[in-house]
Amino acid sequence: MDTTTAVSSITDSSIYQDDPFEKQIDTYLVGRHNEKLALARAYKNVQSIKSFEKVLVHGESGSGKTTLVRSLQQSVINSGGFFCSGKYDQISEVGGQEPYSAIMTAFSDLCDLMLQAEHFNPTRQTAIQKELGDDGRILFKSVTNISPFLEKPTILENNRDTKEESGFAMFKVACENFVRAMSCKDHPVIIFLDDVQWADKGSQDLMRWFLKSTKIESAMLILSFRDKEVDKIKDSLLAVAKDRLLDIEVHNLDPEEVYQFLRVKLQLSKEDNNTELHHLSTLIFRKTDGNPFLVLQFIDSLRENKLIVKRQGKCKFNLDHIKQSTMVSDALANNLVSQKLKQCDAKLIQLLQVASLFGYRFSASIIADATIEFMKQSVGRSTEPLPEKPTVNALLENAVNENILESLSSCDMYQFSHDKIQAAFLGLIEESTKWKMHLVIGQRLLNETNEAAGYHAALHLNASRKYDTNQTVDCIELSKLNLQAAKYCESRSDFSKSASFLRQGLSLLDGNEKWTKNYDLAIEMTRLLATMEFIVGNIQASMYANQQVLFRAKSSLLRYPTIFLEAELALATGQPVLVPRFRKILAKNLEIRIPRYITPLNVFLKLERVRKYFRKYTDNYILSLPRITDNKIFTTVRVLVTVASDCLIRDNEIAGAYIVLLNVILSFSYGLCEYTSAAIVYYGILESMIGNKATAYRLGELSLKMNSAYPAKDVGGGVSAFASLYILYREHYLKHLLTLCSSKLADALAIGDHLCIVSCLFFQFNAQLWTGENLKSLEASMLHLYARAKDL
């Protein structure tokens, strides 16, 4: 069955005829009755059946998409819901906006709205805190004002107890859980993301994740984008939706709708329905193709040029004069906006040129300082520098009155009223001076102390670098700024952009001297680049950077994480981990010597040693062993778990058994950590295969206790599944084990750990089959979980 509902199929306007939403009269909503009705109907579903509605609104620029969606806002507020929004920026030449900018803006907006709501109370706040759980920590640096919704706001840090490559998977799940926690039947949440055609890759992936969600209730996601500016974006979004998706295409106005638009705009009564007015509307339609934004600009231009005059409530115009006017022939289509803006004050034009390069939304003080500095540096300009801040603010307020800008709640913040206006100011900038504007904007942003300013400063200074022959900004300082921007992106789970900043930063360092004069900076950037490239799937680039760190690192502390990544890279390429080269790395850096040829005798000697430990010590004594504090030993245990897993997957049981036993011996000698439980459960499986069922059962129980004492999401799923599947199923109730594995599967899905996911799915399938689960429902459940795992 087709999952998409087109607007044209919705015709029953009587359903919501009493809704105040339907009674609004707005110039910009002329001809949008069916589209408004479709949105109202979707919102009714959110309210009545707690559904998660997904809506695509698309059309050409200026067709009124944003106005249409925002017409729903007041109805949402009146019904106790929350309407939050975010908009993507068209500035892409400097590297784009902040990671997930529109989504995080909407989330921050939602937090503010909820904290200000009269119906928000401590009970609801506690419920959100419990529902959000640890996911709030992941969003802490991205969503402002999220702290009141976190259970433990005092211990928030950007540390991870899981593999770095799990970061984006965790981030997606955290965002999904955030929306689920914040929405409820009495107070639904509407999230509106505008200009999705300019969204960064991470945002697009996150939107697809939302469209596939089956967990969110009492919410609506509205995505608005332009049809002609992004190839196949509609098909891409439609393809991923798992259930009903509302598809609204916003067309230009037809001639009759342009006539109605003109009549409403000029505030004419029904008696003013004359032939001349029809002729004028036909002329406007031909010149603008019925685009509402251009129709509006055209009408305003006619009024400004006194070609339409309203006297004593009557509209006066001469159609022949309008046809003969140069304005009609010269200021058509997209030129309408440019012609209007060129009539603005010269100082305002200069100010907004710089603002348009900064972004859709900007700070007045930053733009004023950058513009003044730019004009001081411009040689041969006759224009005087901009006056002091009060006059600048007056200019901006005048632009607000002219509908060029919109003033935001913060007294210093403004945004362009339409992206066509921003684009028009961008078009007025000469290419030869654009890099200078980037330079002054970047330099001004360096005076700000927040992390986001550093990120934007790096973008603008990188853009100016190509043409700045004088190298105004020092290479080393700019390289450090790129490192800062990369860490900013990493903390917000935009790993692709983080890698881009790191590559840019390394390119600024002298190739011959970066490992001598700038060693600390180069090694830190290369180490982080290896991780970022691995996360985004650039395996060869990651391998090259990782080998650079292994070769160049002067301290063991730098090598330890690199060794673990080396093992993960081998797994990612499908190659065996335990090759001679890796053996040498382990021997040189961790002092772990693994025989090239492992014999059953090697395994037997290790096995007897381990058995002596378990005969001598009780489980309580083992669990009371101290935590490993030596970073070298911790890395060794973690790496050996990966090596053992790889050996067992490849049916290399002898080598796998040897590595497992070696890992257990290390734990008894030096202490416990998050990865010891994996070594214990592997050892339990080994004893089970030999036939020592009692010992295996003890080890299975011990591995679960150890995993509870030292939790780690990236091993918990595997430990629970292996212990349940190979050891504990003989003694435990299957339903108890199923509950345990379901919990661990949720953790594995949250971090995208494939081995844990496969292990949990395998046990869950077998256990449900053994307990007599209906095969059809079992198949549907497994396919759903498989699809979700594949997405991660």
Side-chain angles (χ1 to χ4, degrees):
M1 192 174 98
D2 189 0
T3 60
T4 305
T5 300
V7 172
S8 57
S9 65
I10 302 173
T11 56
D12 188 2
S13 59
S14 63
I15 297 176
Y16 303 119
Q17 61 184 2
D18 295 327
D19 195 320
F21 173 54
E22 278 297 299
K23 296 180 180 179
Q24 296 175 4
I25 298 176
D26 192 317
T27 307
Y28 306 101
L29 293 174
V30 169
R32 301 294 183 233
H33 174 76
N34 282 347
E35 290 85 352
K36 285 173 59 183
L37 179 63
L39 281 176
R41 189 174 191 173
Y43 183 59
K44 290 291 183 182
N45 287 338
V46 172
Q47 290 179 295
S48 59
I49 61 175
K50 298 171 55 177
S51 64
F52 176 38
E53 297 290 319
K54 300 120 180 182
V55 183
L56 302 185
V57 179
H58 53 99
E60 70 174 58
S61 175
S63 58
K65 301 180 294 294
T66 303
T67 303
L68 170 66
V69 175
R70 288 200 173 276
S71 66
L72 178 65
Q73 184 170 0
Q74 195 57 50
S75 290
V76 174
I77 295 171
N78 292 343
S79 65
F82 298 100
F83 185 101
C84 55
S85 63
K87 177 180 170 64
Y88 288 99
D89 202 328
Q90 63 185 305
I91 300 297
S92 58
E93 62 187 82
V94 295
Q97 52 250 314
E98 290 182 46
Y100 314 103
S101 58
I103 298 174
M104 295 305 110
T105 298
F107 284 4
S108 300
D109 189 19
L110 177 57
C111 290
D112 289 339
L113 291 172
M114 194 162 287
L115 290 170
Q116 296 166 12
E118 294 181 359
H119 51 70
F120 184 69
N121 55 57
T123 303
R124 177 70 180 132
Q125 183 176 12
T126 302
I128 292 174
Q129 288 174 346
K130 294 187 74 172
E131 183 77 18
L132 194 55
D134 291 338
D135 290 324
R137 186 178 66 178
I138 299 171
L139 300 175
F140 178 63
K141 286 196 172 184
S142 301
V143 181
T144 57
N145 291 344
I146 197 176
S147 295
F149 303 100
L150 306 179
E151 286 188 287
K152 301 175 182 178
T154 56
I155 59 170
L156 290 170
E157 296 178 7
N158 189 36
N159 56 359
R160 294 195 180 108
D161 57 357
T162 56
K163 301 175 186 176
E164 287 85 350
E165 64 269 25
S166 306
F168 185 56
M170 293 175 67
F171 183 76
K172 289 196 291 188
V173 174
C175 289
E176 180 183 31
N177 289 341
F178 174 82
V179 178
R180 184 176 64 175
M182 300 294 269
S183 58
C184 66
K185 187 176 186 298
D186 293 333
H187 307 293
V189 170
I190 312 302
I191 299 174
F192 171 40
L193 303 180
D194 202 2
D195 283 327
V196 168
Q197 73 275 358
W198 292 318
D200 55 280
K201 184 179 181 300
S203 289
Q204 291 180 30
D205 289 342
L206 190 52
M207 286 177 221
R208 293 187 183 97
W209 179 253
F210 276 126
L211 291 177
K212 294 178 182 180
S213 174
T214 56
K215 293 184 175 182
I216 299 173
E217 294 180 343
S218 301
M220 182 191 294
L221 175 66
I222 306 175
L223 305 180
S224 171
F225 58 92
R226 298 181 183 179
D227 276 333
K228 296 180 180 179
E229 300 205 12
V230 176
D231 294 336
K232 300 180 180 178
I233 187 168
K234 176 186 172 184
D235 294 338
S236 171
L237 294 172
L238 287 174
V240 299
K242 293 298 181 185
D243 53 6
R244 184 176 179 274
L245 180 69
L246 179 61
D247 177 26
I248 299 178
E249 183 172 4
V250 183
H251 298 280
N252 283 345
L253 304 175
D254 61 30
E256 181 59 30
E257 289 167 342
V258 171
Y259 170 74
Q260 296 296 335
F261 189 104
L262 178 63
R263 193 172 59 79
V264 174
K265 175 63 180 173
L266 298 178
Q267 298 179 338
L268 302 177
S269 64
K270 292 183 178 180
E271 289 73 24
D272 294 318
N273 186 354
N274 57 63
T275 304
E276 285 293 308
L277 196 63
H278 270 288
H279 288 323
L280 176 59
S281 68
T282 301
L283 174 65
I284 294 173
F285 173 77
R286 287 204 308 267
K287 298 299 183 183
T288 62
D289 197 29
N291 182 283
F293 179 80
L294 296 179
V295 169
L296 179 63
Q297 295 297 317
F298 198 99
I299 295 171
D300 286 344
S301 297
L302 292 175
R303 297 177 74 175
E304 288 170 6
N305 286 274
K306 310 297 184 185
L307 294 172
I308 292 181
V309 180
K310 194 172 183 182
R311 297 192 185 119
Q312 298 177 348
K314 297 290 184 180
C315 182
K316 305 292 183 182
F317 61 90
N318 187 305
L319 194 61
D320 291 332
H321 288 174
I322 292 175
K323 289 179 179 179
Q324 294 170 9
S325 169
T326 56
M327 187 278 299
V328 174
S329 58
D330 294 336
L332 300 179
N334 292 322
N335 292 328
L336 276 170
V337 180
S338 298
Q339 290 292 330
K340 177 179 179 180
L341 299 184
K342 287 178 181 178
Q343 299 172 10
C344 294
D345 183 280
K347 296 172 183 177
L348 178 62
I349 291 176
Q350 186 70 78
L351 189 72
L352 294 185
Q353 280 180 324
V354 177
S356 68
L357 203 59
F358 182 83
Y360 177 77
R361 183 175 293 182
F362 58 89
S363 161
S365 58
I366 291 176
I367 294 306
D369 291 343
T371 306
I372 291 170
E373 185 60 31
F374 170 74
M375 297 185 74
K376 285 179 181 177
Q377 294 180 11
S378 299
V379 180
R381 292 185 64 91
S382 58
T383 308
E384 292 292 324
L386 281 171
E388 296 300 317
K389 298 285 179 67
T391 309
V392 169
N393 290 334
L395 286 169
L396 294 176
E397 287 302 319
N398 184 51
V400 171
N401 295 333
E402 293 292 327
N403 294 321
I404 296 172
L405 298 178
E406 293 175 359
S407 179
L408 302 179
S409 54
S410 173
C411 59
D412 187 50
M413 296 298 296
Y414 293 84
Q415 68 182 25
F416 288 96
S417 59
H418 197 280
D419 48 65
K420 275 186 175 293
I421 294 176
Q422 181 190 4
F425 278 110
L426 273 172
L428 297 176
I429 303 174
E430 297 177 7
E431 287 297 324
S432 59
T433 62
K434 188 176 289 187
W435 72 268
K436 294 181 181 178
M437 288 188 179
H438 281 307
L439 180 62
V440 296
I441 292 172
Q443 289 175 323
R444 171 60 181 82
L445 286 168
L446 290 176
N447 298 331
E448 302 293 308
T449 56
N450 61 78
E451 290 179 312
Y455 165 85
H456 286 289
L459 287 174
H460 287 283
L461 294 177
N462 286 339
S464 72
R465 184 76 185 175
K466 182 178 178 181
Y467 304 98
D468 185 9
T469 55
N470 296 326
Q471 294 191 355
T472 309
V473 181
D474 180 71
C475 288
I476 307 302
E477 292 304 314
L478 185 53
S479 183
K480 291 178 180 178
L481 189 62
N482 274 279
L483 174 59
Q484 178 185 330
K487 290 180 176 178
Y488 176 82
C489 292
E490 184 204 7
S491 70
R492 283 151 179 78
S493 300
D494 193 339
F495 306 110
S496 179
K497 196 169 288 185
S498 177
S500 177
F501 277 115
L502 291 166
R503 288 192 291 268
Q504 177 71 22
L506 285 167
S507 71
L508 293 167
L509 301 178
D510 189 288
N512 298 322
E513 297 183 346
K514 68 180 178 182
W515 296 113
T516 53
K517 289 185 177 180
N518 306 303
Y519 170 80
D520 290 338
L521 180 59
I523 198 74
E524 184 177 4
M525 295 182 78
T526 307
R527 181 188 62 78
L528 187 56
L529 178 62
T531 304
M532 296 300 104
E533 296 284 24
F534 179 52
I535 294 172
V536 299
N538 297 330
I539 302 301
Q540 293 301 320
S542 178
M543 290 176 70
Y544 176 78
N546 203 51
Q547 288 165 12
Q548 285 278 305
V549 178
L550 269 174
F551 178 70
R552 303 280 186 179
K554 295 178 181 179
S555 72
S556 299
L557 287 175
L558 285 173
R559 291 195 191 98
Y560 294 153
T562 307
I563 296 167
F564 178 72
L565 183 55
E566 192 74 13
E568 292 289 297
L569 283 165
L571 288 175
T573 55
Q575 300 299 316
V577 178
L578 203 58
V579 294
R581 178 178 168 276
F582 193 70
R583 281 189 173 93
K584 291 178 182 178
I585 292 173
L586 292 177
K588 180 180 177 180
N589 297 282
L590 300 177
E591 299 179 9
I592 296 294
R593 289 169 176 79
I594 300 174
R596 184 170 184 180
Y597 301 104
I598 301 172
T599 66
L601 179 60
N602 297 132
V603 176
F604 177 74
L605 293 174
K606 294 289 183 188
L607 180 59
E608 284 303 305
R609 187 176 172 185
V610 170
R611 283 175 171 173
K612 284 181 182 179
Y613 283 124
F614 279 94
R615 285 195 292 265
K616 183 176 180 180
Y617 301 116
T618 64
D619 289 356
N620 288 336
Y621 174 82
I622 294 171
L623 289 170
S624 68
L625 289 173
R627 173 184 277 274
I628 293 175
T629 56
D630 189 327
N631 201 14
K632 176 180 175 182
I633 302 300
F634 176 83
T635 302
T636 303
V637 173
R638 190 181 187 193
V639 168
L640 290 182
V641 165
T642 302
V643 175
S645 300
D646 181 61
C647 290
L648 294 172
I649 288 171
R650 296 178 184 280
D651 292 330
N652 189 356
E653 291 93 349
I654 299 296
Y658 182 87
I659 301 298
V660 166
L661 295 169
L662 179 61
N663 220 352
V664 175
I665 292 170
L666 279 172
S667 296
F668 277 111
S669 303
Y670 295 98
L672 309 178
C673 69
E674 288 79 4
Y675 299 90
T676 308
S677 58
I680 297 295
V681 78
Y682 287 159
Y683 172 43
I685 294 172
L686 177 62
E687 290 285 11
S688 179
M689 291 168 66
I690 296 171
N692 297 327
K693 305 302 182 184
T695 303
Y697 181 79
R698 175 190 173 188
L699 293 169
E701 290 278 15
L702 179 61
S703 67
L704 295 182
K705 292 176 183 177
M706 200 171 289
N707 187 239
S708 297
Y710 298 92
K713 288 184 177 181
D714 58 335
V715 293
V719 168
S720 300
F722 286 144
S724 302
L725 183 61
Y726 295 106
I727 303 170
L728 301 177
Y729 70 92
R730 294 182 179 88
E731 304 292 337
H732 277 266
Y733 287 112
L734 283 176
K735 289 186 178 180
H736 168 73
L737 295 177
L738 267 174
T739 303
L740 175 66
C741 268
S742 296
S743 171
K744 298 302 180 182
L745 176 61
D747 288 344
L749 286 168
I751 64 173
D753 191 296
H754 295 142
L755 181 60
C756 289
I757 290 170
V758 171
S759 303
C760 290
L761 283 177
F762 187 56
F763 173 74
Q764 191 166 322
F765 178 83
N766 281 281
Q768 287 179 311
L769 189 63
W770 295 334
T771 55
E773 181 78 25
N774 179 275
L775 286 178
K776 283 291 183 183
S777 63
L778 180 58
E779 180 187 27
S781 173
M782 289 296 112
L783 286 174
H784 171 71
L785 289 170
Y786 172 76
R788 189 171 174 84
K790 187 178 178 182
D791 293 337
L792 286 163

